[in-house]
C-alpha cells in the first residue's frame, strides 16, 4: 500500500512544481487530540525539522518500505557475532526516505494524502515527546544522540508469532535503536502513529534505554539475567520500563503548549476501544486507584523466567505507574516527580545510585535486584519530603513492597513517617 501511495504522491509533487520550504520552524496541519476526544486537524509548528518532504529532523528520520525479520532459524542471525551484525541480519531491507506531499495554504502546509497526515502527525508527536523529556525531564539536548530512525509502516515479521507481517503496533526496538510504526488493520479510528500518548510511551522506552541501560542495544543485566531459570531482576526491569513509559506518556499529555486535550490518563482510549480492544484502555488507565499486587503475581515476578513472565510486565508496570500517579497528583508535584524519575535512571553517585548503577552492582546476583532496590532509585532522587513520603506510601500499598525494605538508616530513603496505605490488603509473605 505504501509503495502505491508514494508513487502517487511523487507524481502529484511533480505536478505541483515546487518543493515546500524546509527550514524550521515549519507550519503544518497535524492531527491533534481535541477536548472532545477526537483527533482533528490543527495548525502546529515543527521546530526540529530539516526536511519536511523526507520527514527528517534532529528528533527523528522517517523511513518507508523497510523489511525486518526476526527468525530464530535465520542463518544470518545465527552467524552474527556483534550487536551491529545482529542488527544488519534483522534488517532485510533498510527502506528509503519517505516522501510527504502537501498543499500550501496561507503559509501552512496541509497534508495532501492519508500517509502524509499519518507521518506528519507521528513526527509532531515524536517532537512533543522529545520536548517533554528535554524540558520536564531536564535531559540535555546532546544526550538524545542522533535523530532516531523511525520505520514507518515496515514489514515486521516475527516468525515465532506469524509468518505474515504484524500490524497495529508501535515499538522502540533497542537492537536497531529505532522506532517502528506498523501498518494498522483493526485500529482504524486513531491508528497508533496518530496517538500522541502511544508515541510518547515508545519515546519513553528510548530514553529508558539511553539512560537506565546506558544505551546498550542488548542491555547487560537483561541479557545476563534472562539466562537464569528464574529471572526476577529482568522481570522487574521490564516492569519498570513499561510502567514508567505509561507514566511519562501521561506526563507528556499534560504539556499543552500547542493546544490539545491536556492531561489524559486514558490516552489509549482513542486507539483501543470497543469490545475487542477497550479492555486495554481500562487495564492501563492510570487514574484507577484500587489496583493491588497479589500473591500470585508477586510469585510470578520473583520465580518465573522472563520468557514465561512476558505479558505480566504490563500488570506490574501499571501498579507502579498508577501508584506514582496518585502520589504526584495528591501532592500537586507531578512534574517534580517525573523529573526525579528520569534523574533516577543513571546516577554514578554512591549515595543515590541510579537504576543503571544498581544493575551493575547486582549483576552477579539478580536476587539482590528486588522491587525495593529498583524503587530505591526513584525514592532517593526525590528531595521533597512530603512527595517522598507519598511515593513511599503508595509503593508500600499498591506494590506491597515491605516497609522495612524502604525505611531504614539511609536518610535518602523513605522517612520513618511512611506507613503505607490502606487501599490494598497487606500480603502475608
Ligand atoms: Zn511499552
Amino acid at each position: 500500500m505504501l509503495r502505491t501511495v508514494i508513487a502517487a504522491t511523487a507524481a502529484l509533487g511533480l505536478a505541483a512544481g515546487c518543493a515546500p520550504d524546509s527550514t524550521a520552524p515549519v507550519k503544518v496541519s497535524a492531527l491533534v487530540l481535541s477536548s472532545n476526544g477526537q483527533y482533528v486537524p490543527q495548525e502546529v509548528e515543527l521546530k526540529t525539522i530539516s526536511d519536511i518532504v523526507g520527514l527528517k529532523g534532529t528528533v527523528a528520520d522517517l523511513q518507508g518500505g523497510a523489511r525486518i525479520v526476526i527468525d530464530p532459524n535465520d542463518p544470518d542471525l545465527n552467524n552474527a557475532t556483534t550487536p551491529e551484525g545482529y542488527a544488519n541480519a534483522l534488517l532485510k531491507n533498510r527502506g528509503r526516505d519517505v516522501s510527504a506531499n502537501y498543499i500550501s495554504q496561507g503559509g501552512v502546509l496541509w497534508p495532501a494524502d492519508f500517509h502524509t497526515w499519518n507521518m506528519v502527525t507521528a513526527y509532531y508527536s515524536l517532537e512533543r515527546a522529545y520536548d517533554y523529556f528535554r524540558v520536564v525531564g531536564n535531559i540535555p539536548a546532546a544526550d538524545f544522540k542522533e535523530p532516531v530512525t523511525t520505520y514507518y509502516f515496515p514489514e515486521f515479521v516475527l516468525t515465532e508469532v506469524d509468518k505474515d507481517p504484524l500490524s497495529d503496533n508501535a515499538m522502540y526496538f533497542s537492537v536497531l535503536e529505532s522506532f517502528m510504526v506498523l501498518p494498522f488493520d483493526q485500529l482504524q479510528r486513531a491508528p497508533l502513529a496518530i496517538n500522541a500518548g502511544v508515541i510518547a510511551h515508545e519515546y519513553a522506552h528510548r530514553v529508558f534505554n539511553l539512560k537506565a541501560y546506558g544505551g546498550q542495544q542488548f542491555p547487560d543485566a537483561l541479557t545476563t539475567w534472562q539466562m537464569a531459570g528464574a529471572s526476577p531482576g529482568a522481570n522487574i526491569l521490564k516492569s519498570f520500563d513499561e510502567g514508567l513509559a505509561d507514566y511519562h506518556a501521561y506526563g507528556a499529555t499534560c504539556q499543552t503548549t500547542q493546544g490539545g486535550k491536556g492531561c489524559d490518563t486514558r490516552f489509549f482510549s482513542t486507539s483501543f476501544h470497543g469490545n475487542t480492544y477497550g479492555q486495554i484502555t481500562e487495564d492501563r488507565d492510570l487514574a484507577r486507584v484500587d489496583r493491588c499486587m497479589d500473591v500470585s503475581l508477586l510469585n510470578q515476578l520473583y520465580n518465573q523466567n522472563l520468557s514465561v513472565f512476558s505479558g505480566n510486565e504490563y500488570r506490574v508496570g501499571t501498579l507502579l505507574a498508577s501508584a506514582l500517579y496518585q502520589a504526584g497528583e495528591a501532592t500537586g508535584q507531578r512534574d517534580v516527580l517525573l523529573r526525579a524519575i528520569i534523574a533516577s535512571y543513571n546516577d554514578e553517585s554512591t549515595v543515590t545510585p541510579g537504576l543503571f548503577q544498581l544493575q551493575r552492582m547486582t549483576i552477579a546476583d539478580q536476587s539482590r535486584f528486588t522491587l525495593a532496590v529498583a524503587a530505591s532509585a526513584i525514592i532517593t532522587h526525590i528531595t521533597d519530603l512530603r512527595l517522598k513520603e507519598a511515593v513511599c506510601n503508595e509503593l508500600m500499598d499498591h506494590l506491597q513492597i515491605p516497609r522495612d525494605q524502604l525505611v531504614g538508616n539511609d536518610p535518602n530513603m523513605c522517612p520513618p513517617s511512611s506507613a503505607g496505605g490502606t487501599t490494598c490488603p497487606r500480603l502475608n509473605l
Side-chain angles (χ1 to χ4, degrees), residues 316-346:
V316 177
T318 305
L319 290 171
L320 173 67
S322 50
L324 294 169
Y325 166 83
Q326 287 182 65
E329 302 299 307
T331 54
Q333 298 204 63
R334 177 198 313 129
D335 286 357
V336 176
L337 176 53
L338 289 162
R339 182 175 285 206
I341 290 168
I342 291 164
S344 78
Y345 288 176
N346 197 310

Side-chain angles (χ1 to χ4, degrees), residues 232-290:
N235 301 348
I236 288 168
L237 278 172
K238 281 283 190 184
S239 301
F240 268 59
D241 192 3
E242 285 307 333
L244 297 175
D246 274 2
Y247 189 39
H248 286 306
Y250 162 74
T253 65
C254 297
Q255 307 304 305
T256 53
T257 48
Q258 290 201 40
K261 185 172 183 280
C263 287
D264 184 6
T265 64
R266 294 168 62 82
F267 58 84
F268 285 102
S269 68
T270 44
S271 298
F272 298 99
H273 58 100
N275 292 337
T276 317
Y277 298 99
Q279 195 58 43
I280 293 174
T281 296
E282 301 309 319
D283 289 347
R284 304 274 282 273
D285 182 356
L286 295 191
R288 261 191 60 183
V289 298
D290 60 347

Side-chain angles (χ1 to χ4, degrees), residues 9 18 23 56 65 84 89 111-112 118 159 234 238-239 274 308 320 413:
T9 57
C18 60
T23 325
K56 179 184 168 83
E84 293 73 25
N118 213 25
T159 57
K238 281 283 190 184
S239 301
V308 183
L320 173 67
M413 285 295 288

Side-chain angles (χ1 to χ4, degrees), residues 59-379:
V59 170
D61 179 5
L62 269 66
Q63 294 287 304
R67 180 173 166 82
I68 296 150
V69 179
I70 303 182
D71 176 357
N73 298 316
D74 182 349
D76 291 348
L77 271 192
N78 293 318
N79 292 333
T81 50
T82 60
E84 293 73 25
Y86 195 85
N88 284 334
L90 293 177
L91 206 48
K92 299 303 180 195
N93 182 346
R94 292 176 178 277
R96 58 196 164 271
D97 287 341
V98 298
S99 179
N101 187 44
Y102 305 92
I103 296 161
S104 181
Q105 211 165 29
V108 180
L109 298 176
W110 282 75
D113 58 63
F114 171 75
H115 280 291
T116 301
W117 277 111
N118 213 25
M119 295 189 300
V120 164
T121 300
Y123 190 95
Y124 174 62
S125 297
L126 287 165
E127 190 177 284
R128 282 194 59 195
Y130 163 85
D131 258 359
Y132 160 80
F133 282 103
R134 204 174 42 81
V135 177
V136 176
N138 202 27
I139 298 178
D143 288 15
F144 290 92
K145 294 172 60 177
E146 64 282 353
V148 188
T149 301
T150 300
Y151 293 107
Y152 177 77
F153 280 35
E155 284 183 8
F156 179 51
V157 181
L158 266 178
T159 57
E160 285 180 316
V161 177
D162 196 337
K163 65 178 178 16
D164 293 322
L166 302 177
S167 56
D168 290 328
N169 216 333
M171 62 200 78
Y172 179 67
F173 191 29
S174 69
V175 175
L176 297 179
E177 299 178 272
S178 302
F179 294 114
M180 282 197 263
V181 179
L182 303 187
F184 60 87
D185 176 21
Q186 306 289 319
L187 304 179
Q188 300 197 2
R189 191 166 74 168
L192 297 174
I194 283 170
N195 188 319
V198 168
I199 296 290
H201 172 104
E202 299 313 323
Y203 204 93
H205 284 316
R206 158 109 178 141
V207 171
F208 193 87
N209 180 276
L210 286 176
K211 298 285 181 187
Y213 291 142
Q216 299 165 341
Q217 287 164 272
F218 297 89
D220 285 340
L222 266 189
T223 313
T224 309
W225 291 347
Q226 273 183 87
M227 290 190 286
S231 65
N235 301 348
I236 288 168
L237 278 172
K238 281 283 190 184
S239 301
F240 268 59
D241 192 3
E242 285 307 333
L244 297 175
D246 274 2
Y247 189 39
H248 286 306
Y250 162 74
T253 65
C254 297
Q255 307 304 305
T256 53
T257 48
Q258 290 201 40
K261 185 172 183 280
C263 287
D264 184 6
T265 64
R266 294 168 62 82
F267 58 84
F268 285 102
S269 68
T270 44
S271 298
F272 298 99
H273 58 100
N275 292 337
T276 317
Y277 298 99
Q279 195 58 43
I280 293 174
T281 296
E282 301 309 319
D283 289 347
R284 304 274 282 273
D285 182 356
L286 295 191
R288 261 191 60 183
V289 298
D290 60 347
R291 289 195 184 89
C292 299
M293 177 64 84
D294 60 53
V295 175
S296 153
L297 185 57
L298 201 58
N299 275 329
Q300 290 169 316
L301 182 72
Y302 280 109
N303 297 311
Q304 284 181 337
N305 183 268
L306 183 61
S307 59
V308 183
F309 183 73
S310 180
N312 281 328
E313 69 269 32
Y314 295 99
R315 289 179 62 202
V316 177
T318 305
L319 290 171
L320 173 67
S322 50
L324 294 169
Y325 166 83
Q326 287 182 65
E329 302 299 307
T331 54
Q333 298 204 63
R334 177 198 313 129
D335 286 357
V336 176
L337 176 53
L338 289 162
R339 182 175 285 206
I341 290 168
I342 291 164
S344 78
Y345 288 176
N346 197 310
D347 184 349
E348 289 292 349
S349 152
T350 50
V351 184
T352 58
L355 272 175
F356 181 63
Q357 287 72 21
L358 290 166
Q359 293 165 56
R360 208 171 52 201
M361 285 153 60
T362 57
I363 194 153
D365 178 9
Q366 62 181 308
S367 71
R368 290 169 54 218
F369 192 84
T370 57
L371 274 179
V373 167
S376 76
I378 296 176
I379 294 163

